[in-house]
Amino acid sequence: MTLTVLVPDDEGVEALSELPMVQAVRYRWGDPVPAEAAKAEVLIPGRHPAGDELWRELPNLKLVQLMSAGAEDWVGKLPDGVLLSTCRGAHGGSTAEWVVAVLLSMYRKLDVFAEAHRERHWERRSAETLQGRHALIIGAGDLGRQLRRRLEPFDVRCTMVGMSARDGVHGVAELPELLPHHDIVVLMVPLTSRTRGMVDAEFLAAMPDGAVLVNAARGPVVRTDDLLAELTAERLRAALDVTDPEPLPADHPLWHAPGLLLTPHVGGAVAGVRRRSYAVAAAEIARYAGGELPANLVHGEY
């Protein structure tokens, strides 16, 4: 029996073309769905929003395979009985690379030297170093493991934190004891009811003076006003790839906050990202076609 999969682009059709017993059908958001939609069991979403009216035209839908690692926009939006799988494993390397890049930029004062370059001003300055730093990585999944693998060659000592404790991983309940002893705190958690607002005034107050908060997760994990207060006081520094609100309005005070390196949600926006994402998606669909559950299946909120 052939498994029909709706895909949003030609790259997806090509990526699934070698899977046995799988038929990839191209669709375009905003256009009428193709006739094959009536028998499609799997959907790879394109531009259409989670929970839109498309479901009414997919009576046989059983699985939505995302191209993103985050699933917060989709949880609770699907019809009963429809499975949801993420693209965990496709974006960890590039996101970890972004974290290393911003940390090196901040510690080595690359922004200062870039400004001096623009002004044609030659002045040698001493900078900080990643060597010997202690990093607390909150989120011990693929992203967190990828980051640890990249930071340790810089002689950074990494402590892993997950939602629950396990071998080699601390639980979030231990954060009050861990935060004061780390120079760097990196957020790599999914956005759920447990992580929304996790980084509040109390959390930030436990971080030592001069520490760096890096948010590579989702904006609402951090309470923006609480972080802004610490940045304005110049007690902490931060690197944010995500914000709350997002996109950040032009008149938002974060734009002018001292000690902040800000990028517009581009941690995973690198060359080859679609190819890597489709490789993960194809593996998930192959499992499903073979009668197995996807490895990245979302349970509850994540």
Side-chain angles (χ1 to χ4, degrees):
M1 182 176 176
T2 300
L3 177 71
T4 301
V5 181
L6 292 183
V7 297
D9 49 43
D10 293 335
E11 194 171 356
V13 174
E14 182 179 355
L16 301 184
S17 63
E18 296 183 5
L19 295 183
M21 305 303 292
V22 171
Q23 179 189 16
V25 176
R26 175 81 157 85
Y27 77 97
R28 290 172 173 81
W29 185 72
D31 290 350
V33 296
E36 295 91 339
K39 59 181 179 179
E41 287 191 42
V42 182
L43 169 69
I44 297 179
R47 294 170 49 206
H48 59 76
D52 70 3
E53 295 300 305
L54 181 63
W55 317 131
R56 300 182 183 214
E57 303 180 63
L58 305 177
N60 203 37
L61 184 66
K62 302 293 191 303
L63 169 67
V64 171
Q65 173 61 53
L66 301 180
M67 295 287 278
S68 63
E72 68 276 2
D73 290 341
W74 292 83
V75 171
K77 301 287 183 65
L78 298 176
D80 291 342
V82 176
L83 302 175
L84 179 64
S85 178
T86 71
C87 212
R88 184 178 67 241
H91 309 289
S94 53
T95 302
E97 185 178 81
W98 175 86
V99 174
V100 174
V102 296
L103 287 173
L104 285 172
S105 180
M106 295 180 76
Y107 279 113
R108 298 307 302 264
K109 298 184 178 179
L110 297 188
D111 59 332
V112 174
F113 293 118
E115 180 62 27
H117 181 181
R118 285 190 291 271
E119 297 178 356
R120 292 180 291 178
H121 179 64
W122 184 277
E123 179 184 358
R124 296 186 65 190
R125 295 190 183 197
S126 177
E128 299 174 273
T129 177
L130 274 179
Q131 298 172 87
R133 298 290 178 181
H134 292 187
L136 190 65
I137 302 174
I138 306 176
D142 174 63
L143 272 67
R145 292 191 297 270
Q146 293 271 13
L147 177 59
R148 180 176 188 169
R149 186 162 65 86
R150 285 161 174 78
L151 283 179
E152 287 182 336
F154 287 90
D155 294 329
V156 176
R157 186 183 304 173
C158 296
T159 303
M160 307 297 291
V161 176
M163 297 311 294
S164 57
R166 53 188 183 273
D167 187 29
V169 177
H170 296 268
V172 292
E174 301 173 69
L175 282 175
E177 292 77 37
L178 293 170
L179 286 167
H181 306 292
H182 290 82
D183 313 288
I184 300 164
V185 177
V186 185
L187 306 173
M188 307 190 93
V189 294
L191 179 61
T192 68
S193 60
R194 295 182 65 188
T195 62
R196 185 179 293 272
M198 169 191 286
V199 181
D200 56 11
E202 182 179 4
F203 181 108
L204 295 167
M207 294 173 60
D209 291 352
V212 177
L213 176 76
V214 182
N215 191 358
R218 290 292 186 266
V221 173
V222 177
R223 294 191 183 277
T224 301
D225 289 345
D226 293 344
L227 175 60
L228 188 58
E230 291 282 9
L231 294 175
T232 302
E234 299 188 29
R235 196 185 74 80
L236 297 178
R237 295 174 287 177
L240 306 178
D241 189 44
V242 289
T243 59
D244 184 23
E246 186 178 314
L248 196 65
D251 59 351
H252 198 282
L254 265 181
W255 287 110
H256 307 291
L260 175 63
L261 195 162
L262 183 65
T263 60
H265 205 150
V266 294
V270 296
V273 64
R274 295 292 286 182
R275 174 179 50 80
R276 286 187 291 273
S277 297
Y278 269 120
V280 173
E284 291 288 82
I285 290 168
R287 290 188 187 94
Y288 180 78
E292 302 178 38
L293 290 175
N296 292 346
L297 193 65
V298 174
H299 300 279
E301 289 189 86
Y302 190 69

